[in-house]
């Protein structure tokens, strides 16, 4: 069963002060709730600067305690206080001697529904533009993540996970998954070239709503974010988006449009899996 609902993406920039990052997230979640949000999304790495050299310092155990894992407990409390679902962007997670880039998905009663550990680590070298190797410090997760809400099932990936059509299909193949959510943080090299293209492609490929929540742009940060959080419908149309400043993207998700699209074009049924692995 798919039930319409209101989705809100909170685009903001995280800096070096973890307490300030959480406070900003708290304010935006409050605003998102006031705007009628029922599922609220934060950006990738919302509690920490996005840089491999900082992940260990900002990492938290999940669930840990309010003292040792303030970002985790902030999410649980915010969801409970506002009675909303939160897809908590991501934070660096520590387990034993390993670090992960992990999204914590929380139900309105303040329980962790699931955590998604980024399954594709972002390694890139575009000479003269950007060099970034998450695999220097992070370990990849091994599970596709789908959460259940009263509205629909939601597939979750983190940022670079968006590039993998196979992963998106893994999340989307069950009919009751109505939305893919990607907390993200694309940069000024790949963002203008690929961000919108990838979001719209994933939506058309899978006949599904796709939402991605980015960090806002801070030009004095070491990693400059592209921004442009957006929601795309199963036809590949951008329903709402923002540019690079901090703020909310508020979007009603109407599954009539998904049913219309899936009822008119049958790519989900026309797949020829027996050919693709040849
Ligand atoms: O794929 C890209 O171009 C950007 C990915 C990224 O920034 C990330 O995974 O954090």
């Amino acid at each position: 069963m798919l039930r319409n609902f209101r989705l809100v993406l909170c685009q903001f920039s995280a800096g070096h002060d973890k307490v300030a990052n959480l406070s900003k997230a708290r304010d935006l979640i409050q605003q998102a709730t006031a705007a009628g949000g029922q599922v609220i999304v934060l950006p990738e790495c919302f509690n920490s600067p996005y840089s491999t050299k900082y992940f260990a310092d900002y990492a938290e155990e999940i669930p840990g305690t309010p003292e040792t894992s303030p970002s985790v407990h902030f999410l649980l409390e915010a969801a409970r206080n506002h009675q909303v679902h939160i897809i908590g962007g991501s934070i660096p997670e520590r387990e034993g001697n390993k670090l992960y880039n992990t999204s914590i998905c929380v139900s309105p009663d303040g329980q962790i529904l699931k955590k998604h550990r980024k399954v594709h680590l972002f390694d890139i070298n575009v000479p003269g533009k950007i060099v970034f190797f998450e695999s220097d410090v992070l370990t990849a997760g091994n599970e596709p993540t789908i959460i259940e809400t009263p509205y629909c099932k939601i597939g979750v990936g983190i940022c670079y996970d968006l590039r993998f059509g196979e992963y998106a299909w893994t999340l989307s193949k069950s009919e009751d998954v109505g939305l893919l959510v990607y907390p993200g943080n694309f940069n000024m090299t790949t963002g203008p070239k690929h961000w919108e293209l990838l979001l719209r492609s994933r939506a058309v490929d899978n006949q599904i709503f796709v939402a991605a929540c980015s960090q806002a742009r801070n030009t004095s940060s070491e990693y400059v974010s592209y921004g442009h959080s957006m929601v795309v419908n199963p036809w590949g149309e951008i329903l709402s988006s923002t540019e690079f400043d901090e703020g909310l993207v508020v979007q009603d998700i109407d599954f009539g449009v998904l049913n219309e699209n899936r009822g008119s074009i049958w790519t989900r049924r026309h797949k020829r899996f027996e050919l693709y692995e040849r």
Side-chain angles (χ1 to χ4, degrees), residues 101-257:
N101 186 341
T102 302
S103 182
I104 303 162
C105 305
V106 188
S107 62
D109 57 356
Q111 303 297 316
I112 296 178
L113 283 170
K114 280 208 179 146
K115 62 179 181 184
H116 174 68
R117 288 174 167 167
K118 190 176 194 175
V119 288
H120 306 91
L121 296 181
F122 176 47
D123 288 353
I124 189 169
N125 182 359
V126 184
K129 303 263 182 178
I130 177 172
V131 178
F132 201 96
F133 280 85
E134 280 193 325
S135 65
D136 283 346
V137 297
L138 298 182
T139 301
N142 288 318
E143 289 294 330
T145 301
I146 297 173
I147 60 168
E148 288 201 36
T149 74
Y151 318 112
C152 65
K153 289 186 183 163
I154 300 176
V156 180
I158 300 175
C159 205
Y160 188 63
D161 286 337
L162 172 63
R163 288 191 178 271
F164 298 86
E166 297 86 346
Y167 180 64
W169 174 245
T170 301
L171 299 177
S172 310
K173 56 185 156 196
S174 168
E175 292 292 319
D176 50 3
V177 179
L179 168 69
L180 302 181
V181 168
Y182 294 92
N185 196 17
F186 268 45
N187 53 77
M188 295 304 295
T189 300
T190 61
K193 295 187 199 307
H194 296 157
W195 173 256
E196 178 187 325
L197 174 69
L198 287 166
L199 291 168
R200 297 180 65 194
S201 305
R202 294 298 83 92
V204 173
D205 286 349
N206 300 292
Q207 304 188 278
I208 198 161
F209 286 93
V210 177
C213 181
S214 171
Q215 285 213 21
R217 192 169 306 164
N218 173 359
T219 46
S220 53
S221 154
E222 288 165 57
Y223 183 97
V224 181
S225 307
Y226 179 57
H228 291 84
S229 297
M230 69 175 66
V231 183
V232 181
N233 75 12
W235 291 100
E237 294 162 326
I238 298 173
L239 295 179
S240 45
S241 65
T242 186
E243 293 201 2
F244 41 80
D245 291 333
E246 299 193 336
L248 303 181
V249 174
V250 180
Q251 181 60 51
D252 287 328
I253 300 294
D254 174 1
F255 288 113
V257 177

Side-chain angles (χ1 to χ4, degrees), residues 10-32 40 42-43 45-48 58 60 70-75 77-78 81-82 86 91 246 248:
C10 303
Q11 175 167 298
F12 67 95
S13 166
H16 287 260
D17 182 343
K18 192 191 266 192
V19 173
N21 295 336
L22 298 189
S23 162
K24 209 183 267 187
R26 185 174 293 111
D27 285 352
L28 285 168
I29 291 173
Q30 159 78 46
Q31 288 175 33
I40 295 172
L42 302 182
C45 242
F46 76 89
N47 72 342
S48 139
Y58 287 79
E60 299 180 12
S71 312
V72 180
H73 287 266
F74 151 74
L75 290 171
E77 193 188 309
N81 284 346
H82 295 295
I86 298 180
I91 63 166
E246 299 193 336
L248 303 181

Side-chain angles (χ1 to χ4, degrees), residues 2-4 209 234-235 253-263:
L2 301 171
R3 271 180 53 203
N4 297 347
F209 286 93
W235 291 100
I253 300 294
D254 174 1
F255 288 113
V257 177
L258 180 145
N259 292 332
E260 175 203 37
N261 177 264
R262 291 187 185 178

